[in-house]
Amino acid sequence: SSLIKVLIGSLPYGLLGVLGLVYFKIDTLMLSYIRGNFETGLYSVSYKFLEAVILVPSAISAVIFPSLAKLHQGQVSDLKKYYFKTLKLMSILGVIVFFIYLIVLPVIINLLLPKYIPSIAIVQLLSFTIPFMFLHTPSTQLLLASEKYLKPVIYLSVFTMFFNVISNLIFIPIFGYIAAAWVTILSEALSFVIFYIFIQMKVFRA
């Protein structure tokens, strides 16, 4: 009985994991199907550099989650203060990493990884995703830290996934991997904005 309860309780997190996987991989799959191997290979190489960054906000997520879960049981004002403090930290880190990817990484690729030189332009374009990836972390963790907001997180995640898929379907046939990169940027920006608005309207005004 307790095992069944645990399994049922873990289902929303499992669903979010699947949505996250689809969200991060669907553009490459669609690019492969619509535009072929050359553009897919170029985009995949560029995207791997971006995937390396995800480790940083993921590690920070693990650190801030227990504190957010504890603060949900106390005053909303304390939760709000911690959230904005974390958001400020993530914005600073996001901007630093963004400039490293935009300016420093291309130099490293030119000097040490010559076979990846054709991917530099896409790496630089995808780097504009990084600040939003970092800013999005406190919002998702704040909501996931309370069972009360699990359903809204799933709904918002489904919405951003559909935006990603539909935008890719429309623009990849026309603009190829450039479209895939721009849709990635816009999807991350949209995700941050709608989660931020939801928190302001439903959590901090509750």
Side-chain angles (χ1 to χ4, degrees), residues 46 49 96-128 130:
S46 307
F49 287 103
I96 291 169
V97 177
F98 162 68
F99 279 113
I100 290 170
Y101 267 64
L102 187 67
I103 299 166
V104 181
L105 186 57
V107 175
I108 294 170
I109 292 171
N110 267 304
L111 292 174
L112 303 176
L113 304 165
K115 68 178 181 178
Y116 294 122
I117 287 173
S119 70
I120 286 175
I122 305 300
V123 169
Q124 288 179 308
L125 181 55
L126 284 170
S127 69
F128 285 88
I130 293 169

Side-chain angles (χ1 to χ4, degrees), residues 87-161:
L87 198 65
K88 185 179 178 181
L89 171 66
M90 295 302 277
S91 67
I92 294 167
L93 286 173
V95 169
I96 291 169
V97 177
F98 162 68
F99 279 113
I100 290 170
Y101 267 64
L102 187 67
I103 299 166
V104 181
L105 186 57
V107 175
I108 294 170
I109 292 171
N110 267 304
L111 292 174
L112 303 176
L113 304 165
K115 68 178 181 178
Y116 294 122
I117 287 173
S119 70
I120 286 175
I122 305 300
V123 169
Q124 288 179 308
L125 181 55
L126 284 170
S127 69
F128 285 88
T129 310
I130 293 169
F132 298 111
M133 288 169 62
F134 276 73
L135 284 168
H136 188 43
T137 299
S139 301
T140 51
Q141 293 307 303
L142 183 145
L143 294 174
L144 289 172
S146 171
E147 289 187 8
K148 181 181 176 182
Y149 301 111
L150 272 179
K151 281 186 180 179
V153 170
I154 291 170
Y155 296 147
L156 293 175
S157 298
V158 168
F159 175 77
T160 53
M161 188 193 72

